[in-house]
């Protein structure tokens, strides 16, 4: 039955930035599909863990500063495998944004954003892929891109650059890891109502301009992204790799 291809029973997933918002939605979606979930965040994620456990799945929170992923990634993966026994799915969701005009964008803002949004997915994926290869059963890596993987945006040079990089990194990883039956894809969310977008929604003029362009006529919610995450993590997408999938209410179609 086709619905069986969306089940994640017996799988172990890792979701970064799972303490709230979109990351929490991804973690809950994977648990609802049957996976046990390790959450990774710098903020407390016990709320997410409790909700996953209420679904009857195993969950544990790991407090990790992903700006230090170069040294933190391998110990994190080893700890998760020690606690859960394996690692099948990685969702590189954690991200930050710094808004500043290009000519005034500080080196610190640039470096901070690139460290979390691009370097962390690289190092975590590297460590996770090594574990998946050792297991010999394939795996799924899901990166989080953005509409700014396709557009330049304004006031967010570090963020735009990191998300353009994620799209290219996703394709590179797909090319190299497919021989190990590891599928690598990316989700490109549109305008989603989260803490990161609160300043934009608070600007009545810009908020209305955004709504006027979205064919769906509304901001997305974290729940709008749960289905694509489960699909990309599940056997249903086993012949899909290297893709960046837009979930944007039609924004990029305009």
């Amino acid at each position: 039955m086709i619905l069986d291809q969306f089940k994640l029973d017996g799988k172990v997933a890792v979701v970064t930035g799972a303490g709230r918002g979109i990351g929490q939605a991804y973690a809950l979606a994977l648990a609802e599909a049957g996976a046990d979930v390790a959450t990774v965040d710098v903020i407390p994620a016990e709320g997410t863990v409790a909700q996953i456990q209420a679904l009857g799945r195993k969950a544990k929170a790991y407090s990790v500063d992903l700006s230090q992923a170069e040294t933190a990634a391998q110990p994190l993966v080893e700890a998760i495998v020690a606690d859960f026994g394996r690692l099948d799915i990685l969702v590189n969701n954690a991200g930050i944004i710094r808004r500043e005009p290009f000519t005034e964008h500080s080196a610190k803002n640039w470096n901070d954003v690139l460290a979390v949004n691009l370097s962390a997915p690289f190092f975590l994926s590297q460590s996770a892929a090594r574990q998946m290869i050792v297991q010999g059963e394939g795996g799924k890596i899901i990166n989080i891109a953005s509409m700014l993987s396709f557009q330049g945006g304004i006031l967010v040079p570090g963020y735009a650059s990191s998300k353009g990089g994620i799209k290219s990194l996703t394709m590179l990883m797909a090319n190299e890891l497919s021989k190990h039956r590891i599928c690598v894809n990316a989700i490109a969310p549109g305008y989603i109502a989260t803490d990161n977008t609160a300043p934009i929604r608070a600007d009545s003029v810009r908020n209305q301009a955004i709504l006027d362009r979205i064919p769906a006529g509304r901001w997305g919610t974290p729940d709008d992204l749960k289905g694509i995450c489960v699909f990309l993590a599940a056997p249903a997408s086993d012949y899909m790799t290297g893709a960046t999938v837009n979930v944007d209410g039609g924004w990029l179609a305009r």
Side-chain angles (χ1 to χ4, degrees):
M1 298 293 289
I2 185 59
L3 290 182
D4 291 337
Q5 296 300 304
F6 291 84
K7 292 181 179 179
L8 298 175
D9 297 353
K11 302 297 185 182
V12 173
V14 180
V15 182
T16 68
R20 63 186 178 187
I22 294 173
Q24 184 178 75
Y26 290 145
L28 292 174
L30 296 173
E32 288 165 2
D36 295 328
V37 184
T39 69
V40 181
D41 212 323
V42 291
I43 66 171
E46 282 72 21
T48 304
V49 166
Q51 291 182 67
I52 293 169
Q53 291 172 338
L55 295 167
R57 308 309 314 166
K58 180 178 179 180
K60 183 175 179 178
Y62 298 81
S63 180
V64 178
D65 180 358
L66 292 175
S67 69
Q68 305 301 313
E70 181 176 358
T71 55
Q74 188 61 33
L76 172 62
V77 167
E78 291 173 359
I80 291 169
V81 173
D83 291 334
F84 287 82
R86 58 187 299 111
L87 194 165
D88 305 287
I89 301 157
L90 170 63
V91 182
N92 284 307
N93 168 74
I96 62 174
I97 192 166
R98 297 286 184 269
R99 292 182 173 86
E100 216 172 27
F102 173 74
T103 54
E104 300 167 22
H105 203 73
S106 70
K108 184 180 188 307
N109 281 342
W110 173 269
N111 291 328
D112 287 352
V113 170
L114 269 291
V116 175
N117 292 13
L118 186 56
S119 293
F122 170 77
F123 291 115
L124 277 173
S125 296
Q126 200 174 52
S127 295
R130 290 175 183 143
Q131 176 63 29
M132 292 172 184
I133 291 168
V134 168
Q135 292 170 184
E137 300 175 20
K140 300 296 180 82
I141 298 177
I142 303 169
N143 293 322
I144 306 304
S146 165
M147 293 182 296
L148 297 192
S149 298
F150 304 90
Q151 300 175 319
I154 58 170
L155 304 176
V156 288
Y159 186 85
S161 298
S162 71
K163 295 305 182 179
I166 281 291
K167 182 174 182 292
S168 294
L169 180 61
T170 297
M171 293 186 287
L172 176 283
M173 290 166 58
N175 291 337
E176 294 199 22
L177 297 176
S178 290
K179 64 185 178 184
H180 301 292
R181 292 190 296 129
I182 299 172
C183 298
V184 187
N185 294 289
I187 301 170
Y191 281 100
I192 309 296
T194 65
D195 289 346
N196 272 351
T197 58
I200 299 174
R201 287 180 285 120
D203 181 334
S204 61
V205 174
R206 190 167 181 205
N207 180 63
Q208 190 58 52
I210 288 168
L211 288 173
D212 288 343
R213 175 170 166 166
I214 300 173
R218 66 173 176 87
W219 283 73
T221 69
D223 281 354
D224 289 319
L225 298 166
K226 293 172 76 170
I228 187 63
C229 183
V230 171
F231 169 64
L232 293 178
S237 61
D238 278 354
Y239 194 60
M240 183 174 178
T241 195
T244 296
V245 184
N246 310 324
V247 184
D248 62 359
W251 173 276
L252 289 175
R254 288 290 293 271

